[in-house]
């Protein structure tokens, strides 16, 4: 531990602590624009300057570690003046478009300009005329709004190992771009949206499709139905002043009903169903030797896309299960319509997801139209829903809770925890044990699956068998796990794992690319905690205990992996060649 | 930002015949040769790109995409470097890029005269383009076709065993092929 003085107050911190973090301990907020808590500093913007009082030098707080005995000043007229100049310079290369910007109201640049009371453009505006990239239909890149902080590049290259974004050109002409200016839809981009979740401005935002949904809600012929993903319920509140992790399931249902949705389903039901199918697949492969091991989860469309592009030798290992919301979509237009005498052609299925990649998943192949039409019509992110709720004039904090439509809306705790890294694995193991032994599990928790470690490996006792598992989140962590499998296969050695779970976003869906802004590990953990508490408090902890799942099989699907299940709930994969990044 | 303004990159050179006797057969792929030369060396990306540009007159997109996995450098990084240095060109300096090999074998077999003839007939100096941007003429280092020296590459197509008098013929062939392609 070392001590230093900041603004006259003494602070004791571990060696290596940045000035930025040290100041936080004294409740001093130094402004930042390029530094993100998830990422290494790029020291690109300079807005975090502070002064070393002993020699008068200016230092960047985000990347300078405190030295013992330092005497620092974070705010004085000159420092504030430097910061203001930095903002003015940024503004001179930034379009003055706040009113129509997807980030307005929640933009780090806009907020700072407000805080600094900037009321005038001091410098002539020299924003270059650069075209947008809207080619993916999931995220949109507007390089004119980029302040060259480098967050997205670090996220896409280092965290996700996708390399779809980079800076091109140099000096004043430096611009954020797709790799080699190749459009994103022809690039390795997997639409994870992590770039948009980390961007401080509106340079990368989700492709907003709320307009289509409003239109359908007004259409007297349309029967609008909706489902919400596990991770949405513990994050949507952040847009309305709730703390991360607050579970607002009932309020979200209520808001959706008020907006005009006729039926409200829950993707957690689909998660329970996925578990029945996927655990059956696992047991088939593990106990009955039918199919390749390890089994790899398939509910994350960004991961599926990445696998099809760069790890297509793993196709045989992939679970053929569709993702939970696609299962609900398929059943909404078949089972649900049949039970309720509805015309499926009139049903308009909207998914509310923490995810930008789901926007491309709903059209990824012909299996996504298993009901005879597109199963899910539109997929919105949590951020889009939050805006819609505001637009609809709903006072979210006060709205009384509502219930889902149980036929496709009742769920177990196992379905809830799908939203966190490790949750799919844990839920599947609970049901797999039951399938092998036929017994009720005493302790349902598999703690080794939880937490934010990038790769979690464990050997678990599942019904007396040794099951080796691996859980990776953040695509940058996948390579190592997949390579271990490849190596063992090539050498004919015993498999390193029997079951692998992958989620593309750090923290899993709770940290999804379409979630409210400002994500950090603290926020991810809080959101995950919200899910795990709902699991603990629930009546049913195992997917197979969900009586509505039981009813679905009894009256409609027959049994897991039946022909009908295969038709409605499973999919295929294909090699998707793109350039080798 | 779109790729559409990129002129079509030359197809990979089709070699008329293998390398000179006594030498191992040259890989029939310029990119592979360049990649192999620079792969193992750290920090050699710029050298590799330099060589690509010397061969093609610019760095064609498909060559960059092929080079990336072969030298183990992501495409994103390659373009960061390409756009950082003014020296590199990412689009063809002319519709037809004439690369006259000035490597040792070709030099000994009279590539100097061939270059001079091209220069006279096209009306532009070495390293420059015609005013209508139709032709770009350049001398390049060994292009791996020493067996058919002296050699010339025009947009990826190799012409070997040329005599100075053949230059007019090469120009005609290129124009005829282009006209035929335009009809289809
Ligand atoms: S990115 Fe921020 S500052 Fe720029 S236009 Fe959008 S809201 Fe305004
Ligand atoms: S969506 Fe994901 S893969 Fe695509 S550019 Fe953004 S971070 Fe990279
Ligand atoms: S697009 Fe956003 S995250 Fe990427 S460098 Fe620009 S401002 Fe930063
Ligand atoms: S936040 Fe420190 S340099 Fe940008
Ligand atoms: S010297 Fe001309 S091809 Fe080798």
């Amino acid at each position: 531990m070392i001590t230093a003085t900041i603004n006259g107050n003494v602070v004791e911190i571990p060696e290596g602590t940045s000035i930025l973090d040290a100041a936080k301990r004294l409740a001093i907020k130094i402004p930042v624009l390029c530094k993100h808590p998830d990422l290494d500093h790029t020291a690109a913007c300079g807005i975090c300057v502070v002064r070393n009082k002993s020699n008068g030098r200016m230092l960047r707080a985000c990347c300078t570690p405190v030295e013992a005995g330092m005497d620092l000043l974070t705010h004085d007229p000159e420092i504030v003046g430097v910061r203001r100049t930095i903002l003015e310079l940024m503004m001179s290369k930034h379009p003055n478009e706040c009113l129509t910007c997807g980030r307005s109201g929640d933009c780090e640049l806009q907020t700072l300009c407000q805080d600094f009371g900037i009321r005038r453009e001091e410098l002539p505006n020299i924003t270059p005329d650069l075209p947008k990239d809207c080619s993916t239909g999931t995220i949109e890149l507007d390089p004119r709004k980029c302040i060259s902080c480098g967050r997205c590049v670090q996220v896409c290259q280092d965290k996700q190992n996708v390399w779809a974004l980079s800076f091109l050109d140099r000096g004043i002409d430096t611009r954020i771009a797709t790799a080699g200016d190749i459009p994103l839809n022809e690039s390795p981009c997997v639409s994870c949206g992590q770039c948009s979740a980390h961007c401080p401005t509106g340079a990368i935002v989700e492709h907003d499709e709320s307009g289509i949904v409003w239109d359908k809600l007004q259409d007297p012929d349309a029967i609008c139905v909706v489902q919400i993903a596990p991770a949405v319920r513990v994050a949507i509140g952040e847009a309305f002043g709730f703390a991360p992790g607050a579970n607002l399931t009932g309020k979200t249902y209520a808001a959706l009903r008020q907006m005009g949705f006729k039926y409200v389903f829950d993707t957690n039901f689909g998660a329970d169903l996925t578990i029945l199918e996927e655990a059956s697949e696992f047991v088939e492969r593990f106990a009955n030797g039918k199919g390749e091991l390890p089994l790899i989860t398939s509910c994350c469309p960004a991961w599926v896309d990445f696998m099809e592009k760069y790890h297509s030798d793993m196709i045989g290992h992939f679970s053929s299960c569709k993702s939970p919301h696609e299962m609900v979509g398929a059943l909404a237009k078949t089972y649900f319509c049949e039970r309720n005498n509805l015309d499926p052609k009139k049903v308009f299925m909207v998914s509310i997801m923490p995810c930008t990649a789901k926007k491309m998943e709903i059209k990824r192949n012909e299996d996504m139209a298993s009901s005879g039409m597109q199963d899910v019509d539109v997929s919105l992110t949590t951020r889009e829903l939050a805006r819609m709720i505001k637009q609809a004039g709903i006072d979210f904090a006060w709205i009384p809770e509502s219930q889902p439509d149980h036929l496709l809306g009742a769920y177990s705790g196992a379905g809830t925890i799908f939203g966190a890294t490790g949750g799919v694995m844990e839920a599947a193991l609970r049901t797999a044990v039951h399938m092998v032994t036929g017994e009720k599990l005493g302790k349902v928790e598999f703690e080794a699956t939880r937490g934010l470690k990038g790769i979690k490996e464990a050997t678990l006792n599942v019904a007396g068998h040794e099951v080796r598992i691996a859980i990776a989140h953040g695509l940058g962590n996948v390579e190592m796990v997949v390579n271990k499998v490849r190596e063992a296969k090539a050498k004919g050695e015993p498999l390193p794992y029997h079951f692998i779970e992958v989620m593309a976003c750090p923290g899993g869906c709770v940290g999804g690319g379409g979630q409210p802004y400002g994500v950090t590990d603290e926020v991810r953990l809080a959101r995950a905690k919200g899910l795990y508490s709902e699991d603990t408090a629930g009546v049913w902890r195992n997917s197979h205990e969900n009586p509505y799942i039981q009813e679905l099989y009894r009256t409609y699907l027959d049994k897991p992996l039946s022909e009908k299940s295969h038709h409605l709930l499973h999919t295929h994969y294909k090699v998707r060649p793109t350039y080798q990044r | 930002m779109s790729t559409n303004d990129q002129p079509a990159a030359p197809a990979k050179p089709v070699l008329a015949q293998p390398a000179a006797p006594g030498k191992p057969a040259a890989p029939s792929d310029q990119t592979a040769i360049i990649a192999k030369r620079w792969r193992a060396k750290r920090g050699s990306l710029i050298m590799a790109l330099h060589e690509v540009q010397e061969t093609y007159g610019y760095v064609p997109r498909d060559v960059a995409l092929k080079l990336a996995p072969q030298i183990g450098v992501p495409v994103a990084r390659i373009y960061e470097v390409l756009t950082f240095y003014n020296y590199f060109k990412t689009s063809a300096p002319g519709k037809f890029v004439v690369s006259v090999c000035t490597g040792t074998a070709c030099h000994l077999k009279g590539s100097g005269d061939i270059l001079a003839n091209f220069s006279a007939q096209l009306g532009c100096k070495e390293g420059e383009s015609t005013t209508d941007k139709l032709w770009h003429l350049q001398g390049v280092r060994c292009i791996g076709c020493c067996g058919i020296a002296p050699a010339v590459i025009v947009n990826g197509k190799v012409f070997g065993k040329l005599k100075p008098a053949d230059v007019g013929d090469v120009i005609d062939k290129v124009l005829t092929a282009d006209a035929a392609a335009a009809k289809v």
Side-chain angles (χ1 to χ4, degrees), chain A residues 347-511:
Chain A
V347 172
F348 189 77
M349 175 84 239
V350 178
S351 296
I352 312 291
M353 300 282 124
C355 179
T356 45
K358 300 270 173 194
K359 287 177 183 286
M360 62 93 174
E361 180 192 27
I362 60 175
K363 295 184 191 128
R364 62 170 279 275
N365 68 12
E366 58 292 350
D367 299 330
M368 304 299 125
S370 56
S371 61
M373 60 215 84
Q374 194 173 312
D375 297 330
V376 173
D377 294 287
V378 168
S379 181
L380 300 178
T381 58
T382 312
R383 295 196 290 263
E384 287 163 274
L385 175 64
R387 285 196 294 269
M388 288 182 82
I389 293 174
K390 290 177 184 170
Q391 201 181 137
I394 293 166
D395 192 342
F396 197 65
W398 291 99
I399 192 171
E401 300 193 352
S402 168
Q403 290 285 316
D405 290 279
H406 288 111
L407 208 53
L408 298 178
Y411 58 86
S412 78
T416 307
I417 61 173
F418 248 67
T421 166
V424 177
M425 178 68 74
E426 180 168 356
L429 292 176
R430 291 180 190 176
T431 289
V433 174
H434 169 80
M435 283 177 171
V436 174
T437 63
E439 283 163 22
K440 196 172 155 72
L441 219 57
K443 176 176 169 347
V444 298
E445 290 88 0
F446 290 89
E447 274 97 3
T449 60
R450 302 185 180 189
L452 288 182
K453 204 170 146 232
I455 299 174
K456 291 168 272 186
E457 295 174 296
T459 303
L460 301 173
N461 181 333
V462 176
H465 300 274
E466 195 177 87
V467 173
R468 293 187 290 280
I469 61 159
I471 296 159
H473 58 117
L475 285 178
N477 289 318
V478 168
E479 206 97 3
M480 209 190 97
V481 171
V482 175
N483 280 343
K484 267 198 187 175
V485 175
R486 279 190 192 119
E487 255 167 56
K489 278 169 81 174
K491 290 192 197 147
E493 284 171 359
L495 289 172
Y497 318 109
H498 300 107
F499 202 173
I500 298 172
E501 179 207 281
V502 177
M503 297 189 191
C505 290
C509 305
V510 287

Side-chain angles (χ1 to χ4, degrees), chain A residues 20 31-35 41-49 60-63:
Chain A
L20 181 67
V32 292
L33 268 175
C34 64
K35 176 77 181 85
H41 51 75
T42 57
C45 74
I47 197 124
C48 62
V49 287
R60 294 188 181 211
C62 67
C63 57

Side-chain angles (χ1 to χ4, degrees), chain A residues 131 166-167 169-170 180-181, chain B residues 1 61 75 77 79-80 83-84:
Chain A
S166 78
F167 285 118
D169 297 324
R170 73 195 282 183
D181 274 338
Chain B
M1 283 278 286
R61 156 124 317 142
V75 173
R77 178 87 356 115
Y79 276 90
E80 281 167 13
T83 59
F84 189 85

Side-chain angles (χ1 to χ4, degrees), chain A residues 5-7 49-53 71-76 79:
Chain A
T5 312
I6 305 180
N7 297 355
V49 287
V50 298
R51 191 197 305 282
N52 186 343
K53 277 172 84 178
D71 189 3
L72 298 159
L73 190 65
T74 67
H75 290 74
D76 72 9
I79 298 171

Side-chain angles (χ1 to χ4, degrees), chain A residues 141 145-152 167 176 198-201 203-204:
Chain A
L141 173 67
K145 292 181 187 163
C146 172
I147 57 168
S148 299
C149 71
R151 291 184 190 175
C152 60
F167 285 118
I176 189 67
H198 286 84
C199 180
T201 74
I204 311 180

